[in-house]
């Protein structure tokens, strides 16, 4: 997988290389309308530190480690040069689905957000069916919002008019996922149960998932993702954590380095931004090229976060860096 030795800049060096940007979203995603991240201009490439604001230092530190790795370490050796991508459909009304899918030319798989606060299962079914009319393979992302009984009911409703590739994190806990897996025929993918767990492999040992959704930033970097992928014995989907073009580029390299890749990856979320820090990679026949991304300096300047938000990210970086040192 390449050089996996430790790389750690000094705090002063890291802060000097930090560029904080704020990217407006086309539609709200996870409740986010403006995505803030700190970019790291490293000697090897650019990295990204974009832990969501509500995450505490212990969880956010892994995201900082991933950004440092990307900026200061050579990428892993890749096995493929094109990565299949799923379209990402936020919790929009069904009539907006064609507009969203038009940003993902050639995509044969779509991930649909469901269980949005304030919406109903009827809304979810309408959205999923609208996607089915345009894309052959549909998966849904629940972000752990359902109880087991709610998930059983929802799985029946969402598959009444066609199959689902899988339900992503339908319930919050591993025990609930294992129980649900025994009660329904729809495959279950684990996301939060892997990236937020002290032991990422416990979900598999518990028989709680058919597929693992792995994200570079929350796991601490591409090399850590590949270690987990090697140890886990279920198929892998590499996904983004609402990354900028820089983070997406790192995710594509991680997906390209996997021994096997049998599912479309959730690395097309850059199309949810009004503006990004680099020109979006061109989606060709539902695939993106695996290559590192260098931001456009002018875009980085134009998308710079306000001074108070830059200070917030600098303070957060100091706090997380102290945890990495220990």
């Amino acid at each position: 997988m390449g050089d996996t030795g430790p790389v750690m800049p000094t705090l002063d060096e890291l802060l000097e290389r930090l560029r904080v940007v704020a990217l407006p979203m086309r539609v709200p995603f996870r409740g986010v309308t403006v995505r803030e991240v700190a970019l790291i201009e490293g000697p090897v490439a650019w990295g990204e530190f974009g832990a969501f604001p509500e995450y505490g230092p212990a969880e956010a530190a892994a995201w900082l480690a991933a950004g440092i790795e990307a900026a200061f370490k050579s990428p892993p050796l890749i096995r493929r040069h094109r990565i299949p991508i799923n379209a990402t459909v936020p919790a929009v009304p069904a009539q907006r689905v064609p507009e969203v899918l038009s940003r993902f030319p050639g995509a044969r798989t779509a991930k649909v957000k469901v269980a949005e606060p304030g919406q109903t299962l009827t809304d979810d079914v309408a959205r999923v069916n609208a996607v089915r009319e345009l894309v052959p393979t549909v998966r849904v992302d629940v972000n752990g919002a359902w109880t087991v009984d709610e998930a059983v009911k929802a799985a029946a409703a969402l598959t009444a008019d066609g199959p689902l590739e899988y339900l992503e994190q339908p319930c919050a806990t591993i025990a609930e996922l294992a129980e649900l897996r025994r009660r329904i025929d729809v495959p279950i993918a684990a996301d939060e149960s892997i990236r937020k767990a002290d032991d990422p492999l416990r979900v598999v040992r518990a028989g709680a998932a058919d597929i693992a959704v792995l994200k570079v930033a929350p796991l601490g970097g591409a090399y850590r993702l590949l270690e987990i992928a090697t140890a886990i014995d279920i198929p892998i989907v590499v996904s983004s954590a609402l990354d900028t073009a820089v983070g997406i580029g790192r995710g594509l390299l991680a997906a390209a380095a996997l021994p096997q890749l049998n599912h479309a990856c959730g690395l097309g979320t850059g199309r949810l931004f009004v503006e990004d820090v680099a020109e979006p990679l061109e989606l060709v026949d539902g695939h993106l090229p695996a290559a590192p991304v260098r931001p456009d300096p002018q875009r980085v300047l134009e998308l710079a976060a306000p001074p108070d938000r830059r200070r917030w990210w600098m303070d957060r970086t100091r706090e997380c860096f102290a945890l990495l040192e220990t």
Side-chain angles (χ1 to χ4, degrees):
M1 281 187 286
D3 174 25
T4 58
V7 176
M8 182 69 77
T10 66
L11 176 60
D12 288 343
E13 183 182 10
L14 182 61
L15 293 175
E16 185 178 330
R17 293 173 178 274
L18 224 59
R19 311 284 185 267
V20 181
V21 295
L23 310 184
M25 306 288 300
R26 294 183 187 276
V27 294
F29 191 85
R30 294 181 79 259
V32 175
T33 56
V34 177
R35 178 69 166 123
E36 288 185 353
V37 307
L39 300 178
I40 305 167
E41 185 179 5
V44 173
W46 283 72
E48 179 171 323
F49 172 38
F52 295 108
E54 66 268 23
Y55 290 1
E59 187 172 356
W63 298 60
L64 179 59
I68 292 172
E69 176 195 88
F72 289 84
K73 268 181 89 163
S74 298
L77 299 176
I78 65 172
R79 301 167 186 260
R80 57 191 65 82
H81 296 279
R82 298 170 71 244
I83 307 300
I85 300 300
N86 69 248
T88 300
V89 180
V92 296
Q95 60 266 28
R96 291 196 61 187
V97 163
E99 168 203 338
V100 173
L101 290 178
S102 69
R103 303 187 195 114
F104 300 89
R108 306 286 292 168
T109 300
K111 179 170 83 168
V112 184
K113 289 288 183 179
V114 297
E116 184 81 358
Q119 295 188 7
T120 67
L121 181 56
T122 300
D123 297 323
D124 294 338
V125 170
R127 185 181 314 113
V128 167
N129 283 341
V131 173
R132 277 198 183 102
E133 291 180 6
L134 299 170
V135 177
T137 302
V138 181
R139 56 180 69 152
V140 300
D141 187 8
V142 191
N143 292 120
W146 292 331
T147 66
V148 174
D149 287 341
E150 287 171 339
V152 170
K153 176 184 175 183
L158 291 167
T159 56
D161 299 303
L164 289 175
E165 184 183 23
Y166 59 72
L167 298 172
E168 181 175 329
Q169 199 68 42
C171 304
T173 71
I174 291 175
E176 287 174 318
L177 293 182
E179 179 185 347
L180 177 64
R181 191 164 175 253
R182 292 190 293 268
R183 293 178 58 180
I184 65 173
D185 294 327
V186 183
I188 292 174
D191 175 7
E192 288 89 344
S193 289
I194 295 174
R195 63 182 168 89
K196 290 177 175 284
D198 294 333
D199 177 5
L201 304 183
R202 187 160 64 92
V203 68
V204 177
R205 288 197 297 270
D210 302 282
I211 294 162
V213 178
L214 303 184
K215 300 178 179 179
V216 169
L219 293 175
Y223 285 100
R224 177 59 176 151
L225 182 150
L226 293 171
E227 287 174 5
I228 293 170
T230 300
I232 220 162
D233 60 353
I234 57 177
I236 304 298
V237 171
V238 179
S239 192
S240 105
L242 202 55
D243 304 322
T244 74
V246 170
I248 291 290
R250 193 67 175 178
L252 289 166
L253 290 173
L258 286 170
Q260 293 187 3
L261 185 64
N262 300 319
H263 295 270
C265 289
L267 295 169
T269 53
R271 284 154 179 76
L272 300 177
F273 298 129
V274 176
E275 293 286 345
D276 205 339
V277 295
E279 188 68 26
L281 295 170
E282 185 179 358
L283 197 63
V284 178
D285 191 26
H287 290 70
L288 288 177
V293 173
R294 178 170 292 276
D296 178 340
Q298 186 60 36
R299 290 184 182 220
V300 172
L301 285 174
E302 291 172 354
L303 294 166
D308 63 319
R309 296 305 300 164
R310 173 174 168 76
R311 287 191 296 271
W312 186 89
W313 279 96
M314 300 279 277
D315 290 343
R316 191 184 205 196
T317 300
R318 292 186 185 95
E319 196 170 20
C320 291
F321 189 85
L323 294 178
L324 294 182
E325 285 187 310
T326 58

